[in-house]
Short mmCIF file of all heavy atoms in Angstrom, two decimals:
data_model
loop_
_atom_site.label_atom_id
_atom_site.label_comp_id
_atom_site.label_asym_id
_atom_site.label_seq_id
_atom_site.Cartn_x
_atom_site.Cartn_y
_atom_site.Cartn_z
N ASP A 54 8.90 8.80 -8.15
CA ASP A 54 7.64 8.17 -7.76
C ASP A 54 7.93 6.83 -7.07
O ASP A 54 9.08 6.52 -6.77
CB ASP A 54 6.70 8.02 -8.97
CG ASP A 54 7.14 6.96 -9.97
OD1 ASP A 54 8.17 6.30 -9.76
OD2 ASP A 54 6.43 6.79 -10.99
N SER A 55 6.89 6.05 -6.81
CA SER A 55 7.07 4.80 -6.07
C SER A 55 7.95 3.81 -6.82
O SER A 55 8.70 3.05 -6.20
CB SER A 55 5.72 4.18 -5.74
OG SER A 55 5.00 3.89 -6.92
N SER A 56 7.90 3.82 -8.15
CA SER A 56 8.78 2.93 -8.93
C SER A 56 10.24 3.33 -8.74
O SER A 56 11.12 2.47 -8.62
CB SER A 56 8.43 3.00 -10.41
OG SER A 56 7.14 2.52 -10.63
N GLY A 57 10.49 4.63 -8.70
CA GLY A 57 11.85 5.12 -8.45
C GLY A 57 12.32 4.74 -7.06
O GLY A 57 13.47 4.33 -6.87
N CYS A 58 11.42 4.86 -6.08
CA CYS A 58 11.76 4.44 -4.70
C CYS A 58 12.08 2.96 -4.66
O CYS A 58 13.04 2.54 -3.99
CB CYS A 58 10.60 4.73 -3.76
SG CYS A 58 10.45 6.44 -3.28
N GLY A 59 11.30 2.16 -5.38
CA GLY A 59 11.55 0.72 -5.43
C GLY A 59 12.90 0.41 -6.05
O GLY A 59 13.61 -0.49 -5.58
N ALA A 60 13.29 1.14 -7.09
CA ALA A 60 14.59 0.93 -7.73
C ALA A 60 15.72 1.30 -6.76
O ALA A 60 16.72 0.58 -6.67
CB ALA A 60 14.69 1.76 -9.01
N LEU A 61 15.55 2.40 -6.04
CA LEU A 61 16.56 2.79 -5.05
C LEU A 61 16.68 1.75 -3.95
O LEU A 61 17.79 1.40 -3.53
CB LEU A 61 16.22 4.15 -4.44
CG LEU A 61 16.41 5.37 -5.34
CD1 LEU A 61 15.86 6.62 -4.67
CD2 LEU A 61 17.88 5.56 -5.71
N LEU A 62 15.56 1.22 -3.49
CA LEU A 62 15.57 0.20 -2.45
C LEU A 62 16.25 -1.08 -2.94
O LEU A 62 17.03 -1.69 -2.21
CB LEU A 62 14.14 -0.09 -1.99
CG LEU A 62 14.00 -1.11 -0.86
CD1 LEU A 62 14.77 -0.67 0.37
CD2 LEU A 62 12.54 -1.32 -0.53
N ALA A 63 15.98 -1.48 -4.18
CA ALA A 63 16.62 -2.67 -4.74
C ALA A 63 18.13 -2.48 -4.82
O ALA A 63 18.90 -3.40 -4.50
CB ALA A 63 16.05 -2.98 -6.12
N CYS A 64 18.56 -1.30 -5.21
CA CYS A 64 20.00 -1.00 -5.29
C CYS A 64 20.62 -0.99 -3.90
O CYS A 64 21.74 -1.47 -3.70
CB CYS A 64 20.23 0.32 -6.01
SG CYS A 64 19.83 0.24 -7.77
N TYR A 65 19.89 -0.44 -2.93
CA TYR A 65 20.37 -0.44 -1.55
C TYR A 65 20.57 -1.89 -1.06
O TYR A 65 21.60 -2.22 -0.48
CB TYR A 65 19.38 0.30 -0.65
CG TYR A 65 19.64 0.09 0.82
CD1 TYR A 65 20.68 0.76 1.46
CD2 TYR A 65 18.87 -0.80 1.56
CE1 TYR A 65 20.94 0.55 2.81
CE2 TYR A 65 19.12 -1.01 2.90
CZ TYR A 65 20.15 -0.34 3.53
OH TYR A 65 20.41 -0.56 4.85
N ARG A 66 19.59 -2.73 -1.31
CA ARG A 66 19.67 -4.12 -0.87
C ARG A 66 20.84 -4.84 -1.53
O ARG A 66 21.53 -5.64 -0.90
CB ARG A 66 18.36 -4.84 -1.17
CG ARG A 66 17.24 -4.41 -0.24
CD ARG A 66 15.97 -5.13 -0.55
NE ARG A 66 14.92 -4.76 0.40
CZ ARG A 66 13.63 -4.82 0.15
NH1 ARG A 66 13.21 -5.25 -1.03
NH2 ARG A 66 12.76 -4.46 1.07
N GLN A 67 21.08 -4.55 -2.81
CA GLN A 67 22.20 -5.16 -3.51
C GLN A 67 23.52 -4.72 -2.88
O GLN A 67 24.42 -5.53 -2.68
CB GLN A 67 22.18 -4.78 -4.99
CG GLN A 67 23.33 -5.39 -5.76
CD GLN A 67 23.47 -4.87 -7.17
OE1 GLN A 67 22.67 -4.06 -7.63
NE2 GLN A 67 24.49 -5.33 -7.87
N ALA A 68 23.64 -3.44 -2.57
CA ALA A 68 24.86 -2.92 -1.96
C ALA A 68 25.12 -3.56 -0.60
O ALA A 68 26.23 -4.00 -0.30
CB ALA A 68 24.79 -1.39 -1.83
N VAL A 69 24.09 -3.66 0.23
CA VAL A 69 24.23 -4.25 1.56
C VAL A 69 24.58 -5.74 1.44
O VAL A 69 25.44 -6.24 2.17
CB VAL A 69 22.95 -4.03 2.39
CG1 VAL A 69 22.96 -4.85 3.67
CG2 VAL A 69 22.78 -2.56 2.71
#
Side-chain angles (χ1 to χ4, degrees):
D54 71 1
S55 60
S56 296
C58 282
L61 288 172
L62 182 59
C64 291
Y65 168 77
R66 287 180 177 155
Q67 180 189 358
V69 170

